[in-house]
Amino acid sequence: MGDEPLGNKDTANLEIDVAENTWVTPSPVTLPENQKFDYPRVISQVRWNSTEVQYHLAGNFAEGLFTIDKTGNIYVTRELDREIESQHQIEVSAVNFYNISYSDPLQISVIVQDENDNKPVFPQNTYHVEITEKMTRGSVLLHLHADDADEKDTINTQISYRIVSQEPSTPENVFAIDEKNGDLTLQNSNLWAGNTKTYQVEITATDLAGAQDGLSSSCLVIIDVMDINDNPPVFLENKFAPFIIPEDTEPGVIIAILTATDEDHLPVNRLIDFYVQSGNEDGTFRILTDQESNTISVFLDKVLDYEKKQEYDLIFLAKNTAELFGTEYGASSTATVHVTVQNVNEPPVFDQHKYEVQILESTQSGSVILTAEAKDPDILHPAKLHYSIKNDSRKWLSVKEHSGKIHLLHAIDREVSDETYTVQVVVTEEGDHGLSASAEIVMHIVDVNDNIPFLVGDYSKAFFCSHKVDTQRILIKAYDLDSGQNGAPFTFQVVNDPNVQVKWKITPLNETHAYLLMVISYLEPKVYYVPIIVSDSGEPTQSQRVHLPVSVCQCGSSNQCIGEVNKMENMPTVSTAMGTLFGTLGAIVLILIIIFLRLSLFASPKNLATSDSIPLKNAV
């Protein structure tokens, strides 16, 4: 009834024994790894102060690695490996038979003590490094690092690096390695790929700070020396004795061949470009280069002239196609070729190879048609020159011996000569062994309108019916000994007389022909002399008045003449006609004699007209 007075009471005695607490955490346990003991081996002990107790172990260890017996002795059952687990945490629990814990579990630390049982290991067995020639001494080529599985920050993992061997072994000490940080550095800055292209360096890593009993491993570093363009090309010979070349040497002759070399290893770094620095500004020489053989060939490309230039100094430069590193082009990369021009006696030279001149056929004899001037190229010692004419078959020309002025000896008639006439003018140096030269003179004979046009053809059978027939007409033709614009087209017209124009009319057909038409409806049958004016196209115009005899007759139904033509009024007598006829024939013979004489003197005439082109004479 609680604290009520009427409640019942009883008493009892409780005895409490105060005992020593044995459930305390043991000290950490340190065990060496890889120990060869008899297992299991006691490593620690716990006690609960009651006999009614059971012990259990738990923690971060492999099953069965640690055990505990009924008395609380804790055992390790096999060798430990620090590299697998460097520290174990063991949790020990004390429980009654009902598996109820008496107290909180105890924590026991088992520390595995390191043993130097692991050697340093490089991540790679082989390393490849590329370096270039002329790399700076002290340059870091590679950072090496070996891993040691033993405990960090102990002597067991303190690694020392060392170069064991180098192939090729000479030169010595090309490379060095920092024994503590593993930096591989270059100690020789004069590497040349042409001597040694590849080095093989063996490097070891040893723990225990490199002690003799330390564990070690090695790796191989392959170092390829890469060529760079650090050698300028040089000419095998860069100074030559003067090359003496006669001035009359034909272009295309080779003067010199220069060769350059390059000590670089890679082909791309040995390619050479050649340049002409000076001496060939006028292109007298042609330069050919060959990159396969690294040669330069110098050819003569133009005619030399001692009187203009006696010496040439050609300066050549050899440069790499690739960029040059670490050095500069020097005197050995240039070469000088000295060419001396040798004087040769040369023939005189006209100021033109060919002279062309136009000469009017009306040019007076004695006229100067041109001056052919020549000079002696040997200006230092010029010779006197003499001129002459050659191949002048018609004897038209003469030349002043010392001046070269060419004169016309005779008048020229284009109508009895060719339109062009070609001769040679020759110039010769004075002396028994004087050289000579020639030039061609082409004379173009220009026509002058100095001939009158005339009618050609036979019109004796042409007629008109007295009663006009519209289809009847007479084709007339003109000719002119002049050519070109001084001849055709011709103009045909009847005279400006109303009495004539009422009867006759001319219509043009082409440049050389026209039709004569009867325009009146009826004419008395007889022979009419139709006055016609024929004019050429020259300047000034040449014209001729011709009386063309035209027969007018009585015609039948077929428009053919059926009767004789009546005599004209005032018809001359037979004796008068015969006299006139013989006089005309004599004039014709005289003209023909003159023409043939001119042809035989100068040249065969041109075919001026066909066989039916017989000039008509003016009517009396």
Side-chain angles (χ1 to χ4, degrees), residues 95-113:
V95 300
N96 60 19
F97 293 115
Y98 300 102
N99 203 31
I100 297 173
S101 295
Y102 287 118
S103 181
D104 293 334
L106 300 178
Q107 300 293 330
I108 301 176
S109 296
V110 178
I111 300 171
V112 181
Q113 187 177 17

Side-chain angles (χ1 to χ4, degrees), residues 43-341:
I43 61 172
S44 187
Q45 183 182 42
V46 295
R47 290 287 183 272
W48 183 256
N49 57 354
S50 170
T51 57
E52 296 180 0
V53 66
Q54 294 179 351
Y55 299 103
H56 297 287
L57 298 181
N60 63 336
F61 52 86
E63 184 178 357
L65 180 59
F66 299 102
T67 60
I68 191 170
D69 60 15
K70 295 180 180 180
T71 62
N73 290 328
I74 299 174
Y75 298 88
V76 61
T77 61
R78 56 182 180 270
E79 293 181 13
L80 298 178
D81 189 344
R82 195 204 67 82
E83 284 68 47
I84 296 177
E85 192 67 48
S86 61
Q87 185 173 345
H88 301 277
Q89 294 294 328
I90 301 175
E91 185 180 273
V92 183
S93 299
V95 300
N96 60 19
F97 293 115
Y98 300 102
N99 203 31
I100 297 173
S101 295
Y102 287 118
S103 181
D104 293 334
L106 300 178
Q107 300 293 330
I108 301 176
S109 296
V110 178
I111 300 171
V112 181
Q113 187 177 17
D114 184 44
E115 180 186 18
N116 190 27
D117 59 344
N118 290 279
K119 62 182 179 180
V121 177
F122 289 99
Q124 299 174 213
N125 292 327
T126 304
Y127 294 86
H128 289 269
V129 178
E130 289 184 353
I131 65 174
T132 60
E133 299 173 324
K134 304 296 184 182
M135 182 174 280
T136 305
R137 184 176 185 273
S139 299
V140 177
L141 309 183
L142 179 66
H143 176 70
L144 292 169
H145 176 74
D147 289 317
D148 194 317
D150 291 320
E151 186 175 0
K152 303 301 181 186
D153 300 326
T154 67
I155 192 65
N156 293 337
T157 56
Q158 186 174 341
I159 300 172
S160 178
Y161 300 92
R162 183 170 62 91
I163 294 178
V164 177
S165 66
Q166 169 193 298
E167 290 294 337
S169 58
T170 57
E172 297 179 348
N173 304 321
V174 176
F175 308 99
I177 192 167
D178 190 302
E179 63 179 10
K180 291 184 179 180
N181 63 22
D183 285 342
L184 181 64
T185 58
L186 179 67
Q187 298 301 306
N188 188 337
S189 59
N190 292 319
L191 298 182
W192 182 40
N195 287 337
T196 304
K197 189 176 181 181
T198 301
Y199 291 89
Q200 292 187 359
V201 180
E202 183 181 1
I203 298 174
T204 62
T206 306
D207 58 16
L208 299 183
Q212 188 172 0
D213 56 347
L215 301 179
S216 65
S217 64
S218 63
C219 70
L220 183 66
V221 179
I222 299 175
I223 302 170
D224 293 325
V225 181
M226 306 303 294
D227 180 52
I228 63 171
N229 189 27
D230 57 349
N231 291 289
V234 296
F235 285 99
L236 294 182
E237 185 177 359
N238 62 356
K239 290 185 179 180
F240 302 87
F243 293 91
I244 300 175
I245 309 298
E247 63 175 326
D248 60 352
T249 300
E250 291 291 331
V253 172
I254 189 166
I255 305 298
I257 298 178
L258 289 73
T259 303
T261 61
D262 192 303
E263 293 184 352
D264 288 308
H265 182 67
L266 287 179
V268 69
N269 292 331
R270 295 200 303 268
L271 290 178
I272 301 175
D273 293 327
F274 295 95
Y275 303 91
V276 182
Q277 280 190 319
S278 62
N280 194 35
E281 289 76 12
D282 59 355
T284 300
F285 303 94
R286 177 166 52 95
I287 311 302
L288 292 181
T289 61
D290 186 346
Q291 286 192 328
E292 291 186 2
S293 60
N294 284 337
T295 59
I296 178 171
S297 301
V298 183
F299 293 86
L300 181 63
D301 199 44
K302 292 184 178 180
V303 175
L304 298 174
D305 191 340
Y306 175 84
E307 286 68 34
K308 292 182 178 179
K309 193 167 185 178
Q310 294 80 42
E311 293 181 342
Y312 294 86
D313 284 316
L314 304 175
I315 300 178
F316 298 95
L317 172 63
K319 296 181 67 175
N320 284 125
T321 303
E323 183 180 358
L324 188 65
F325 292 97
T327 186
E328 296 180 353
Y329 295 101
S332 297
S333 297
T334 62
T336 301
V337 174
H338 184 81
V339 178
T340 298
V341 181

